[in-house]
C-alpha cells in the first residue's frame, strides 16, 4: 500500500523557520494536504493542494512541492504552533485511496 | 458557523457492533462528500471511508472493507458509520469530516471533535 513518510520530530526556537517534509512516490502527480493537530483537539487543515492556504490560516504557514517531497514551512514560529502535523494525499492505484503520513511533532524550544 | 458533532461511541466487546452518527449544521450538507477518519490512542490519523453527495458511491480503507458501512441521510443532515465485527485494533477516536473533492482527490476541510470507540472484553 501507498505510504507517506514524515520525520517523527522537528524542533525550532521561537522566531525561526520550521520545515516539515513528507515523501511519497505518488506526490509528483498527486496533491498534498497538511493538517495541524494540537493535544486533545481535532485536526485543522492548514495547507491544501500543495501550497494553498485556507482562509483564517496565518500567512506564516506555506507549502511547496518538489518531486517526491512536499514541505510545510512555518516562518517565524510561535509557541502556539507547537503541535503534530500530518501530510495527506491520495493514490487511486493504492488499496487504501486516502493516505496520511505518520505525523511530525513540532516542538518550539 | 459550521459544526460537526459525532455521537455513538463507547465500550464494545470484540466481535460486537456499534453505529456512529455525525450531525452536521451551518453548511449545505448535500453539497459535500463526507468522510470518517480515526485515530488510535497516541497514534496518527487513519482514513476510514468516504461517501458521495447522493450516497451512491462509497470508498473504504482496506482494513475496514466488509466490516464497516458508511451512509448518510441528507434530509437529516446526518452521516453514519455502522461498524461490525469490531476488533481491539479498531479502538480509536472516530472523526467525522467534510470532504472536498473539487480538485479530484479528497481532502478534509472541517472536522468534528470525535467520538471514542473502545473495543475490549
Amino acid at each position: 500500500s501507498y505510504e507517506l513518510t514524515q520525520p517523527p520530530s522537528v524542533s525550532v526556537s521561537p522566531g525561526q523557520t520550521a520545515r516539515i517534509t513528507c515523501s511519497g512516490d505518488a506526490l509528483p502527480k498527486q496533491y498534498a494536504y497538511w493538517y495541524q493537530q494540537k493535544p486533545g483537539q481535532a485536526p485543522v487543515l492548514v495547507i491544501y493542494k500543495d501550497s494553498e492556504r485556507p482562509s483564517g490560516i496565518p500567512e506564516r504557514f506555506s507549502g511547496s512541492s518538489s518531486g517526491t517531497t512536499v514541505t510545510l514551512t512555518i516562518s517565524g514560529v510561535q509557541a502556539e504552533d507547537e503541535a503534530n502535523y500530518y501530510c495527506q494525499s491520495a493514490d487511486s492505484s493504492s488499496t487504501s485511496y486516502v493516505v496520511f503520513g505518520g505525523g511530525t511533532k513540532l516542538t518550539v524550544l | 458557523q459550521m459544526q460537526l458533532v459525532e455521537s455513538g461511541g463507547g465500550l464494545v466487546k470484540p466481535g460486537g457492533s456499534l453505529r456512529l452518527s455525525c450531525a452536521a449544521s451551518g453548511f449545505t450538507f448535500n453539497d459535500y462528500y463526507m468522510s470518517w477518519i480515526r485515530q488510535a490512542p497516541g497514534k496518527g490519523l487513519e482514513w476510514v471511508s468516504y461517501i458521495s453527495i447522493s450516497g451512491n458511491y462509497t470508498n473504504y480503507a482496506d482494513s475496514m472493507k466488509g466490516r464497516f458501512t458508511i451512509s448518510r441521510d441528507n434530509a437529516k443532515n446526518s452521516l453514519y458509520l455502522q461498524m461490525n465485527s469490531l476488533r481491539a485494533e479498531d479502538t480509536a477516536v472516530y472523526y467525522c469530516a467534510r470532504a472536498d473533492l473539487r480538485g479530484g482527490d479528497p481532502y478534509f476541510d472541517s472536522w468534528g471533535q470525535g467520538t471514542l470507540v473502545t473495543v475490549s472484553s
Side-chain angles (χ1 to χ4, degrees), chain A residues 30 33 35 37 42 88 96-97, chain B residues 39 50 62 105-108 112:
Chain A
Q30 299 289 144
Y33 308 88
Y35 303 87
Q37 186 180 34
Q88 176 244 312
S96 285
Y97 180 34
Chain B
Q39 186 171 34
Y50 71 75
D62 241 17
D105 292 317
Y107 66 98
F108 312 103

Side-chain angles (χ1 to χ4, degrees), chain B residues 1-112:
Chain B
Q1 176 182 350
M2 77 150 289
Q3 200 171 12
L4 297 168
V5 180
E6 302 92 338
S7 60
L11 176 63
V12 61
K13 289 181 168 53
S17 298
L18 210 56
R19 189 194 195 210
L20 306 183
S21 300
C22 171
S25 60
F27 67 101
T28 304
F29 184 70
N30 56 9
D31 276 351
Y32 289 89
Y33 278 58
M34 296 295 295
S35 187
W36 289 98
I37 296 152
R38 72 183 185 182
Q39 186 171 34
K43 302 297 184 182
L45 301 171
E46 181 181 22
W47 171 69
V48 173
S49 178
Y50 71 75
I51 187 168
S52 64
I53 292 170
S54 66
N56 289 342
Y57 179 75
T58 58
N59 200 341
Y60 298 89
D62 241 17
S63 60
M64 272 66 89
K65 286 177 185 172
R67 298 190 302 125
F68 291 9
T69 303
I70 191 171
S71 61
R72 64 191 293 164
D73 185 336
N74 287 342
K76 295 182 177 180
N77 289 346
S78 292
L79 175 73
Y80 306 101
L81 185 68
Q82 177 67 44
M83 304 185 294
N84 299 330
S85 303
L86 284 163
R87 308 163 180 164
E89 53 265 36
D90 295 317
T91 295
V93 173
Y94 284 74
Y95 293 102
C96 164
R98 192 174 77 175
D100 190 320
L101 277 83
R102 287 173 291 177
D105 292 317
Y107 66 98
F108 312 103
D109 62 0
S110 294
W111 300 58

